[in-house]
Amino acid sequence: MKCLKCGRETDQTFCESCREDMARYPVKPGTIVQLPKDRASSSPRDNRSWHSGISLEEQIAGQKRTIRRLSRAVAALALLLLGMGVAMFFLLRGPTQPKPGQNYSTVTKPTEDPTVPTTGPESSG
């Protein structure tokens, strides 16, 4: 029989050293304890890499396919970035500031009498 805590061979549930450790740190009755998996029962197949069944040529072909896909994705993102840059350029290029000295409007309201000023308290009449 093996110790449930450390896995050493013993004739009891826990080996002598594990019982000493457990005596120093008592556990309340009814506490749920998770026992480790039995390491001896795990098969050597579980420890193998999943890549070991694939030949070298298949691995290289898969890597080339992945590189091709990633290259296409990077190219698409670069085109999208370029398009966004062009759009931002035209949007920000739109309205420009007037030249110095031309920051006023030359459009006035037409009046019946051209000699009457268009601003001031006398214009409302």
Side-chain angles (χ1 to χ4, degrees):
M1 180 186 231
K2 292 187 177 183
C3 173
L4 291 178
K5 188 171 181 186
C6 66
R8 290 186 204 145
E9 284 293 328
T10 182
D11 56 346
Q12 297 178 0
T13 308
F14 296 102
C15 67
E16 196 63 37
S17 64
C18 290
R19 276 188 272 154
E20 289 173 6
D21 287 342
M22 290 187 292
R24 281 185 286 192
Y25 305 106
V27 179
K28 294 179 184 176
T31 302
I32 299 173
V33 178
Q34 182 178 3
L35 299 176
K37 290 170 63 174
D38 186 18
R39 293 183 188 99
S41 69
S42 65
S43 67
R45 181 181 174 141
D46 294 339
N47 297 334
R48 270 193 334 187
S49 172
W50 63 275
H51 288 290
S52 62
I54 301 173
S55 69
L56 185 60
E57 291 82 20
E58 291 174 351
Q59 288 180 3
I60 291 173
Q63 290 173 351
K64 284 183 179 180
R65 193 175 327 117
T66 302
I67 289 171
R68 229 178 291 123
R69 287 178 185 165
L70 290 174
S71 299
R72 289 177 185 155
V74 168
L77 288 173
L79 287 174
L80 182 64
L81 182 64
L82 181 67
M84 296 280 289
V86 168
M88 289 298 294
F89 174 75
F90 284 115
L91 284 174
L92 294 176
R93 194 178 135 229
T96 59
Q97 292 182 350
K99 295 178 185 176
Q102 292 186 353
N103 57 351
Y104 55 88
S105 175
T106 57
V107 178
T108 59
K109 292 182 184 178
T111 59
E112 297 164 1
D113 186 10
T115 59
V116 177
T118 57
T119 59
E122 303 90 26
S123 63
S124 60

